[in-house]
Amino acid sequence: MTSYTKKSVMRGMITLFLILGFITQRVEAQHYSGRIQDKETAHALVGVEVLTERGHRLARTDGQGVFSFDYPADSLRVILSADSYRQRRVTLYSGRALEFRLQPLQTELQEVTITGHGGTRGNNTFGYSPADVKGIATLAGEIDVMRYPQILPGVSQGMEGGMGFYVRGAGNGNNRTELDGIPIPAPTHLFGLFSIFHPDMVGQSTFQMGGITASSGDFTSSLLQIRTRRPSARRYKGSFALSPLMIGGSLEGYITRDKLTFQVAGRSSLLRPEFLLLRLLVGKDNISGDFNPQAQDLYGKLRWEISAEHSLEALLFGSHDYFSYLPEEEPNTDRNKISLGWINKALKASWLYTPSKHLSLETSAYYTDCGTRQAQVSDGDWGVHKGLMMGSEKKELALRSHLTTRIHDIDLGMGIDLRQQRFRPMVQTLSIEGNKARDWRPAFTTTIASVFAEGVYRRPHYAVQGGIRYDLFRGHERHISHNIDLRLKGSLPLIRELGVEATYDRLTQYQHTLEGLPIGWSLDLIVPASQRFHPEHADQWYLGGFWSTPDLSMSLGGYYRHLSNLTAYRSWLNQFSLHNVSWEEDIITGRGNSYGLELWIEKRQGRLTGSLSYTLSRTTRTFSELNGGQSYPFSFDRTHILNVQSRYETIHTARREQHLTLAGYLTSGNTMTIPIASYQAEELPFWNTQKGGILVPPEQEHHATTRTEMSTMNAYRLPPYIRLDLGYSFLWRREKVTHELGISIYNVLNRRNPYLIFHEGGRWRQLSLLSIVPSVRWEIRF
């Protein structure tokens, strides 16, 4: 019996060792490799990420489009993800080198599932393509890459229908928008109704609110990085689009096959021709005044593939907006011509060197020019002319170099950034009786030299990201200051689908945006930081959890942000006065705080897809010379923000597609300072003497003898904002062309949402900006 037991134990031990040896053999790391190409051009794709289905990166393709890595499994299901290409799920087998081809997005603007960060993404980083914004209704009917951030948690919209947005309590001027790394200060058309970026030029976009990359600086809120597409190297493609406001098109192809490629895209507004046509149809007598709105944008890109390791790119971009109104001439009445306008100009040249699969170096130089203008000129009956023009100019010249590499499981990036900026905050022209006097305010030149480094360490069960940025800032007074920014982010899955994420960001901005009307237009004055107006700073903390499956993802977290060295007008009305004081004398500094909870739910697969975001927050401002030094609510402090987006695929065949989209918005109203009482004031000295038989209008008499008591700053909250949008799209594929027709209705409920209230004629009145607005857009791609 004992012998049998010993034999049994011996056999059991041998069996256990065999099993352990088998398991050990099975879990040893297996080698995987492959090559990825463009499906249309057969070009090797550089920088394609190979991700697990939970979003962890395993490898990235080198200059020849090759990837390789080790993983403890005989086979593995992965996701192939690259900017401007449709993601693809494939199965890899150890020891077998496979080839894969990715479909460019420009030939198929269908719905795209963005899962590159799906397993570890909280409420901080969002990646999306033009296809993801197609279902969002807009006033202009345009596919707008800047619409997507407005539906995310933590984001408050500015003027109704506009593109201004306020992220986690910061101002609209604290956001940074980049086009291939080039800052674009005024990224909107027509008072912010839609962005200046043609949809055909856009590849992948990334919106960051926390854990922000250290390679970008000079902002204290959010970072929107828009990357342009790589032109086709083996065929010619183009598009033509028409909507009520814009007409545009694009063309791309090759000059030398597989070597030298190009893309051009542009749009122009139709409002001026439509106005002239309407005046011709109804007659000049039935239309008062002359109306001249203009909006154009133009983009061009040239790419030269010198070899597998070297490539050169040149980018040209510009936008122009102009609006003027001249009323009809009337006897004994001054004619006031009002004009507004803003421009963007950008030029960039870059060289990309990729000597190996784990090393790349991009060196670039760019020049930008942004300017805004506001003018009012009056012509009287007696030849007296007077006028005022004011605006803001900012020019920037930059040289930067960015090195990326990988050491074991750590992705590293480092670089330098040298920028010279030239500001001209205000330009005035005053004309009286034909004698023109120019007052060109002085230009301020500043220099920023930056060094940055960042790294990402990813393991199957956690990821850690850190970045540091050192800035040496030289102001126009030749004063030098030093600042260090930190960017930290960590994520830890607790179980397969559930995890936590934390971020900390220390951000610095070397310019101040002086908002006039707080609506997010491109007409705000931009002034440099100085010894008197120090650079703005932001410290932000975030902690939250995320839950994700292949079909559904959800995240919930809280943030706290502190802003310092903020600027504000003592009274923004001063900038519209003919006797306005210098902006330096009318600006004060203060601080701000914001905290809140953010919820994000997204369904990414199936015929019905959509998202829901909810924000519960509070934002305050504190200035010693406003509101008695007490903190008060920010103008866009909305306690509740709820956005719901849904898209249902009604038809999907090889030749046809149809989609129904529905979106709902429910938010707390804006805050306002309102009059709460009035009283009879002491009569002005010599007022009765001055009247001397002259008939004084009742309104003038009232304002001269009556005083109004105002509420505390932003003490009144407007009624809730409610809006429902509806859209339907049709897509037809033919042998050589694709047609797409999109119909949308903005504010389908025709609700008159209040933008502000005012007291006039003894009663309260409400100003609403927009009612129901239908739009249509037709596009043909070939």
Side-chain angles (χ1 to χ4, degrees):
M1 187 74 176
T2 304
S3 176
Y4 179 79
T5 303
K6 290 181 178 179
K7 288 181 180 180
S8 300
V9 172
M10 184 63 67
R11 289 194 190 112
M13 292 179 64
I14 293 174
T15 303
L16 178 61
F17 280 124
L18 289 175
I19 293 174
L20 290 174
F22 178 74
I23 293 176
T24 303
Q25 182 180 10
R26 295 289 291 179
V27 298
E28 287 181 353
Q30 305 295 317
H31 186 69
Y32 292 87
S33 63
R35 189 167 185 265
I36 303 177
Q37 299 173 316
D38 186 298
K39 185 175 182 180
E40 297 184 352
T41 66
H43 274 178
L45 295 182
V46 182
V48 180
E49 291 188 337
V50 182
L51 310 165
T52 67
E53 290 192 298
R54 296 177 63 186
H56 300 293
R57 190 170 72 185
L58 299 168
R60 178 186 290 171
T61 57
D62 60 16
Q64 288 74 41
V66 176
F67 68 87
S68 64
F69 64 93
D70 295 328
Y71 196 84
D74 286 338
S75 63
L76 182 63
R77 187 76 170 166
V78 300
I79 299 169
L80 307 180
S81 177
D83 289 347
S84 306
Y85 288 86
R86 287 184 62 86
Q87 290 186 346
R88 182 179 175 187
R89 281 184 169 85
V90 299
T91 302
L92 304 179
Y93 300 93
S94 62
R96 293 171 56 184
L98 303 175
E99 289 193 357
F100 303 99
R101 295 192 174 188
L102 298 185
Q103 177 70 48
L105 284 176
Q106 65 268 24
T107 60
E108 246 185 284
L109 281 180
Q110 302 175 22
E111 184 177 4
V112 179
T113 300
I114 304 298
T115 56
H117 302 277
T120 59
R121 187 182 76 184
N123 283 343
N124 288 288
T125 300
F126 297 83
Y128 62 97
S129 71
D132 294 292
V133 298
K134 288 180 63 179
I136 302 177
T138 64
L139 287 171
E142 295 290 308
I143 300 173
D144 199 334
V145 69
M146 288 186 66
R147 283 290 172 187
Y148 192 84
Q150 291 189 333
I151 69 172
L152 299 177
V155 180
S156 176
Q157 187 177 346
M159 181 184 71
E160 181 179 13
M163 295 304 305
F165 54 88
Y166 300 78
V167 181
R168 291 179 175 173
N172 183 60
N174 297 126
N175 302 313
R176 182 178 175 93
T177 301
E178 294 181 348
L179 179 67
D180 282 355
I182 307 171
I184 306 296
T188 64
H189 276 311
L190 294 176
F191 308 104
L193 293 185
F194 59 100
S195 75
I196 60 178
F197 306 110
H198 192 292
D200 284 356
M201 64 185 267
V202 178
Q204 186 75 7
S205 300
T206 304
F207 183 71
Q208 299 179 59
M209 296 187 290
I212 301 172
T213 173
S215 60
S216 294
D218 199 10
F219 62 96
T220 56
S221 184
S222 67
L223 174 64
L224 174 59
Q225 294 178 309
I226 301 172
R227 291 189 172 274
T228 60
R229 293 193 303 101
R230 187 173 176 177
S232 175
R234 290 198 171 185
R235 56 172 292 195
Y236 296 97
K237 294 183 288 186
S239 70
F240 173 80
L242 182 65
S243 69
L245 295 183
M246 302 292 286
I247 182 172
S250 67
L251 180 66
E252 65 177 286
Y254 60 87
I255 301 174
T256 302
R257 191 180 179 92
D258 295 333
K259 286 289 185 181
L260 188 60
T261 59
F262 73 93
Q263 184 186 23
V264 293
R267 297 178 297 183
S268 182
S269 68
L270 296 173
L271 289 176
R272 178 63 176 175
E274 290 170 347
F275 172 78
L276 296 176
L277 178 61
L278 179 63
R279 189 164 65 174
L280 179 64
L281 295 176
V282 303
K284 294 182 179 181
D285 296 337
N286 296 317
I287 294 182
S288 175
D290 187 29
F291 177 61
N292 183 18
Q294 299 286 337
Q296 293 87 25
D297 55 61
L298 179 64
Y299 161 80
K301 185 176 185 178
L302 195 65
R303 182 179 177 89
W304 182 19
E305 297 283 351
I306 302 175
S307 65
E309 293 82 19
H310 299 272
S311 63
L312 296 176
E313 275 192 359
L315 182 148
L316 175 68
F317 178 75
S319 69
H320 170 258
D321 280 79
Y322 176 79
F323 169 91
S324 69
Y325 176 72
L326 180 64
E328 292 292 338
E329 186 172 359
E330 297 181 8
N332 302 322
T333 304
D334 290 349
R335 297 182 72 195
N336 293 320
K337 180 180 180 180
I338 300 173
S339 62
L340 309 169
W342 54 97
I343 62 168
N344 286 283
K345 300 176 185 176
L347 178 64
K348 178 186 177 184
S350 61
W351 165 56
L352 180 63
Y353 175 50
T354 312
S356 68
K357 63 181 180 180
H358 295 313
L359 182 64
S360 68
L361 174 66
E362 182 178 6
T363 302
S364 61
Y366 68 77
Y367 169 78
T368 64
D369 184 359
C370 174
T372 68
R373 291 290 184 272
Q374 307 172 58
Q376 178 176 335
V377 179
S378 300
D379 297 330
D381 289 340
W382 298 278
V384 177
H385 308 283
K386 56 183 178 179
L388 170 70
M389 182 180 74
M390 55 187 251
S392 178
E393 294 178 352
K394 179 188 175 184
K395 299 180 180 181
E396 182 172 321
L397 182 63
L399 175 66
R400 58 179 288 132
S401 187
H402 190 183
L403 176 72
T404 59
T405 186
R406 188 176 192 186
I407 301 177
H408 301 298
D409 294 319
I410 303 177
D411 293 313
L412 295 174
M414 61 194 72
I416 59 173
D417 191 352
L418 306 174
R419 290 179 289 155
Q420 184 182 74
Q421 299 175 332
R422 185 178 177 87
F423 298 84
R424 195 185 297 274
M426 187 177 293
V427 181
Q428 293 181 321
T429 302
L430 184 63
S431 303
I432 298 178
E433 297 180 354
N435 297 318
K436 179 175 289 189
R438 287 185 177 273
D439 178 17
W440 291 88
R441 295 301 173 97
F444 304 99
T445 301
T446 64
T447 304
I448 306 174
S450 306
V451 179
F452 59 87
E454 56 189 345
V456 182
Y457 179 67
R458 290 187 178 92
R459 301 298 295 166
H461 300 295
Y462 64 91
V464 178
Q465 173 183 328
I468 185 170
R469 184 181 182 92
Y470 165 75
D471 296 329
L472 186 151
F473 174 70
R474 183 177 183 268
H476 62 273
E477 315 101 322
R478 301 187 178 182
H479 174 74
I480 294 177
S481 63
H482 309 267
N483 291 285
I484 295 179
D485 289 354
L486 293 176
R487 325 283 174 86
L488 302 174
K489 180 179 179 180
S491 60
L492 176 65
L494 302 177
I495 57 175
R496 180 177 177 84
E497 295 87 8
L498 183 66
V500 295
E501 178 185 63
T503 68
Y504 168 72
D505 295 271
R506 167 71 171 179
L507 305 168
T508 305
Q509 180 170 309
Y510 300 95
Q511 65 184 34
H512 303 285
T513 300
L514 309 179
E515 291 192 355
L517 295 172
I519 51 180
W521 285 0
S522 301
L523 295 175
D524 302 319
L525 296 182
I526 302 175
V527 302
S530 62
Q531 286 183 276
R532 181 178 175 185
F533 303 111
H534 299 296
E536 297 183 18
H537 294 289
D539 291 276
Q540 176 183 268
W541 294 263
Y542 173 87
L543 177 63
F546 58 86
W547 176 79
S548 180
T549 68
D551 182 62
L552 189 67
S553 67
M554 181 175 71
S555 58
L556 174 66
Y559 75 90
Y560 174 80
R561 167 176 281 170
H562 176 73
L563 299 157
S564 58
N565 298 332
L566 300 180
T567 57
Y569 284 110
R570 285 186 175 88
S571 174
W572 55 264
L573 293 174
N574 286 348
Q575 66 170 312
F576 297 100
S577 170
L578 287 174
H579 307 286
N580 62 316
V581 299
S582 168
W583 65 267
E584 296 98 331
E585 302 302 323
D586 202 33
I587 300 302
I588 55 177
T589 59
R591 65 184 187 273
N593 292 286
S594 183
Y595 54 90
L597 291 175
E598 300 171 349
L599 171 67
W600 171 253
I601 302 175
E602 183 180 18
K603 186 179 184 299
R604 301 186 293 252
Q605 296 184 14
R607 298 184 67 177
L608 176 64
T609 58
S611 65
L612 180 148
S613 70
Y614 171 72
T615 305
L616 173 66
S617 65
R618 177 171 173 78
T619 300
T620 61
R621 293 287 189 265
T622 307
F623 292 87
S624 60
E625 299 182 44
L626 297 179
N627 203 48
Q630 300 296 313
S631 298
Y632 60 89
F634 182 46
S635 298
F636 292 98
D637 168 47
R638 294 188 172 103
T639 307
H640 304 281
I641 304 175
L642 176 65
N643 300 322
V644 180
Q645 303 281 326
S646 63
R647 188 182 189 194
Y648 181 71
E649 188 177 63
T650 57
I651 297 177
H652 188 124
T653 67
R655 291 282 186 174
R656 292 192 305 154
E657 285 186 27
Q658 293 184 22
H659 297 90
L660 172 68
T661 58
L662 183 65
Y665 305 87
L666 171 61
T667 70
S668 302
N670 292 343
T671 59
M672 283 190 61
T673 305
I674 62 172
I676 57 175
S678 63
Y679 57 92
Q680 195 71 20
E682 185 176 335
E683 194 170 79
L684 295 174
F686 310 109
W687 177 252
N688 291 327
T689 304
Q690 286 185 355
K691 286 194 292 187
I694 300 176
L695 179 63
V696 179
E699 185 176 355
Q700 184 176 343
E701 176 78 16
H702 171 79
H703 289 300
T705 59
T706 305
R707 300 294 179 265
T708 301
E709 181 184 354
M710 304 298 291
S711 69
T712 56
M713 290 285 291
N714 294 337
Y716 179 79
R717 185 175 296 277
L718 295 175
Y721 178 91
I722 301 174
R723 193 180 89 233
L724 185 67
D725 299 338
L726 183 66
Y728 201 86
S729 64
F730 305 82
L731 186 143
W732 302 273
R733 295 188 182 91
R734 298 296 181 260
E735 185 176 349
K736 293 185 178 181
V737 300
T738 299
H739 298 267
E740 185 166 10
L741 177 66
I743 302 171
S744 63
I745 303 177
Y746 181 94
N747 193 11
V748 68
L749 300 177
N750 196 28
R751 176 180 167 85
R752 304 281 181 168
N753 286 296
Y755 179 68
L756 58 86
I757 62 170
F758 55 96
H759 195 263
E760 184 181 68
R763 65 189 185 94
W764 288 99
R765 300 178 184 271
Q766 171 183 305
L767 173 64
S768 299
L769 298 179
L770 297 169
S771 56
I772 185 171
V773 181
S775 63
V776 61
R777 184 179 187 269
W778 170 70
E779 181 181 16
I780 179 172
R781 297 190 293 271
F782 53 88

